[in-house]
Amino acid sequence: MAKMSSFPIRIISLALFSISFLPSLNNGQLTRHSILTRAKIVYHGGPILIETINVALIWYGNVSLNKKEAIASFLKSLNTDGNFNLQPQVTKWWKMVESYQAMLPGAKHDKVPKIIVNVAKQINDTSYKYGRNLTIGDFITKIVKEHTKEAKNMLPIIITAKDVNMEGVCTKTCAYNGIVGNITPYIILGNPELECPRKCEWPFIQIDSGPKSIFFLQPPNLDKAADAMVIALATTLADTVTNPLNTGFYDGLPKNSIGVGTACKAIFGSGAFSGNPGKVHIDAHTGGSFNAHGIKDQKFLLPAIWNPKTSSCWTLM
């Protein structure tokens, strides 16, 4: 895990999100790369993750190879540019997360330091050691402690196979972050392929509740579940880096906070509104929709992030 910054309390008033259609004079799309909202993301005086984030990827169950490759490639692409001629890059998206360092009290605004995401270890638990129905209180704490006991400064990311039931995943969210022992943040990433594709695979499929889509996007890597998991991980990683201990940047109450990624859910490009993900690129060969280029010509569809400078949801396109 990265070092955590430590600063005296200071409140920075930002804004809170609510999806709404904003007309423009550009064929219904916003003419700038941000979406005005009514959110209120506030700094609560606590640390954020900085410098190098050492990640432990815990593959729980028989996670398929394409899921592993998509997630690992996304994490690698955060700090590594792909083909310079292909824009925008995943690294540009990550710079928005890094920009929160400049919003801390006493921070220098001329040059924002990089935050390096380093996959320090990967654990494959194909034995389903704790069963196929995981609860936070009984099993998540055990999994986190087991795989971080020899490396305390580690951010565990638990990724489940499609035949694993994770408490809270699907019923409440598609991924979430928490804390073990008030000192170790972690991320849980569920696999929606079997349990809840109609909740967690939008915008690639119609959802059971909420605004109905006029059309659906093809996933950039032609695997709905894998690409949906990358979206969920991106959102939750942004929330975790900027609010690892429920004392950083967020809106609402600490135990039910809205983070900088969660505040901008369901927005992928300018012109987004309820049921419409916004402007994206279309791969001419595969038909896959994307808005970011990564390493080895990999393509990703990445969600909007709350921009602390403009108090709005920012997108790559």
Side-chain angles (χ1 to χ4, degrees):
M1 188 179 69
K3 290 184 179 179
M4 296 190 190
S5 62
S6 180
F7 294 87
I9 293 176
R10 175 183 173 187
I11 300 299
I12 300 176
S13 293
L14 303 174
L16 187 32
F17 169 74
S18 123
I19 297 181
S20 59
F21 175 65
L22 298 175
S24 75
L25 301 178
N26 185 27
N27 297 320
Q29 295 190 352
L30 296 179
T31 55
R32 55 200 176 98
H33 294 196
S34 61
I35 297 175
L36 298 175
T37 66
R38 301 183 188 122
K40 194 167 187 176
I41 300 291
V42 175
Y43 177 55
H44 293 78
I48 67 173
L49 300 186
I50 60 173
E51 298 183 358
T52 298
I53 304 173
N54 288 313
V55 168
L57 293 180
I58 304 169
W59 308 101
Y60 189 85
N62 293 306
V63 181
S64 65
L65 182 60
N66 53 331
K67 307 290 190 302
K68 290 182 177 181
E69 288 180 343
I71 291 166
S73 293
F74 163 66
L75 293 174
K76 181 71 174 177
S77 296
L78 293 173
N79 302 116
T80 306
D81 283 320
N83 187 333
F84 182 76
N85 295 319
L86 301 175
Q87 297 293 333
Q89 300 267 333
V90 175
T91 51
K92 182 180 179 181
W93 181 88
W94 187 240
K95 287 182 188 303
M96 182 55 67
V97 178
E98 293 174 329
S99 73
Y100 275 81
Q101 295 174 97
M103 305 305 295
L104 295 167
K108 295 181 179 180
H109 295 259
D110 54 342
K111 187 175 181 181
V112 177
K114 288 183 178 296
I115 299 175
I116 305 301
V117 177
N118 173 49
V119 178
K121 64 187 295 189
Q122 298 192 50
I123 300 98
N124 289 284
D125 185 351
T126 56
S127 68
Y128 297 85
K129 180 176 180 179
Y130 297 101
R132 297 173 192 258
N133 295 293
L134 303 180
T135 57
I136 297 173
D138 293 333
F139 300 119
I140 300 307
T141 298
K142 292 179 180 178
I143 294 173
V144 170
K145 287 184 176 180
E146 177 183 350
H147 296 298
T148 59
K149 61 185 177 182
E150 295 178 358
K152 300 297 182 182
N153 295 322
M154 190 80 67
L155 173 63
I157 301 179
I158 304 169
I159 306 105
T160 62
K162 63 183 179 182
D163 55 352
V164 174
N165 262 329
M166 182 76 75
E167 180 188 0
V169 173
C170 285
T171 57
K172 296 179 180 178
T173 185
C174 305
Y176 60 86
N177 57 325
I179 312 168
V180 171
N182 296 320
I183 57 171
T184 305
Y186 66 87
I187 292 173
I188 295 176
L189 179 61
N191 187 330
E193 189 170 351
L194 293 181
E195 190 177 0
C196 56
R198 294 179 67 84
K199 177 177 175 64
C200 292
E201 290 186 3
W202 192 86
F204 311 127
I205 191 173
Q206 185 65 274
I207 55 176
D208 287 328
S209 60
K212 300 303 179 184
S213 299
I214 302 171
F215 59 90
F216 307 107
L217 304 180
Q218 290 297 317
N221 297 293
L222 304 183
D223 183 325
K224 293 184 180 70
D227 288 310
M229 290 170 77
V230 168
I231 292 169
L233 175 58
T235 297
T236 311
L237 183 61
D239 287 350
T240 304
V241 170
T242 55
N243 185 31
L245 302 180
N246 284 336
T247 56
F249 292 91
Y250 67 89
D251 174 71
L253 300 174
K255 291 187 177 181
N256 192 28
S257 60
I258 298 174
V260 305
T262 306
C264 300
K265 284 180 70 174
I267 296 175
F268 297 92
S270 57
F273 58 94
S274 295
N276 186 326
K279 179 182 177 181
V280 297
H281 285 308
I282 304 295
D283 189 304
H285 299 290
T286 67
S289 301
F290 67 99
N291 59 9
H293 295 272
I295 61 170
K296 299 178 181 179
D297 295 329
Q298 193 95 1
K299 299 177 179 67
F300 300 97
L301 186 65
L302 300 183
I305 303 177
W306 185 262
N307 185 337
K309 291 183 179 179
T310 63
S311 297
S312 61
C313 290
W314 172 89
T315 62
L316 282 165
M317 296 181 61

